[in-house]
Amino acid sequence: MGQRWQRFVADNIGLDLSPGDVAGHLAVSERQLDRIVMQHKGYSTKKYITRAKLKRAKALLEDTDLTLREIADQLGFSSEYYFNSVFRKHEGFPPGEFRKSVKQA
């Protein structure tokens, strides 16, 4: 299976992806996929998807003038509020603060 799961996540980052979506595409169980991702990354498939989305969000915040709503839409978050919540939970500050800090640097 190699790194096909990483390619699938990258290619579909704009969707509301779940571990089940990735597992279904690869024709393996979610449990098997989670074992593979854990072996390669040290964390769950769900966390891998979230990290991939946040990495892309940071790039969009740095390199574009897209609104937070537009970024949330592009990355498959159900709402701007949810995007803010996930970003803050994982990064420790909201995406607007991140954008301000990188624009000032």
Side-chain angles (χ1 to χ4, degrees):
M1 178 173 344
Q3 309 304 344
R4 288 185 10 223
W5 52 275
Q6 290 175 307
R7 170 63 35 216
F8 182 77
V9 170
D11 289 347
N12 294 282
I13 201 79
L15 302 176
D16 183 15
L17 272 182
S18 72
D21 297 327
V22 181
H25 175 74
L26 299 171
V28 298
S29 70
E30 283 185 54
R31 191 173 171 98
Q32 178 65 22
L33 177 63
D34 226 28
R35 280 194 289 269
I36 292 166
V37 175
M38 185 67 74
Q39 180 181 5
H40 284 84
K41 294 294 181 180
Y43 43 82
S44 70
T45 307
K46 183 173 175 67
K47 191 166 191 170
Y48 177 79
I49 293 168
T50 300
R51 284 184 168 198
K53 285 181 180 281
L54 292 177
K55 181 178 179 181
R56 180 73 180 128
K58 286 179 183 177
L60 290 170
L61 288 164
E62 284 183 60
D63 301 332
T64 73
D65 290 325
L66 293 173
T67 67
L68 296 181
R69 176 73 197 152
E70 290 168 328
I71 292 172
D73 287 345
Q74 277 197 17
L75 295 176
F77 287 95
S78 56
S79 69
E80 180 182 344
Y81 174 80
Y82 182 60
F83 169 59
N84 272 293
S85 174
V86 170
F87 195 99
R88 182 188 296 263
K89 178 182 175 188
H90 289 269
E91 301 300 325
F93 43 84
E97 270 186 41
F98 175 81
R99 175 175 268 165
K100 284 179 192 167
S101 71
V102 295
K103 295 286 184 183
Q104 291 172 353

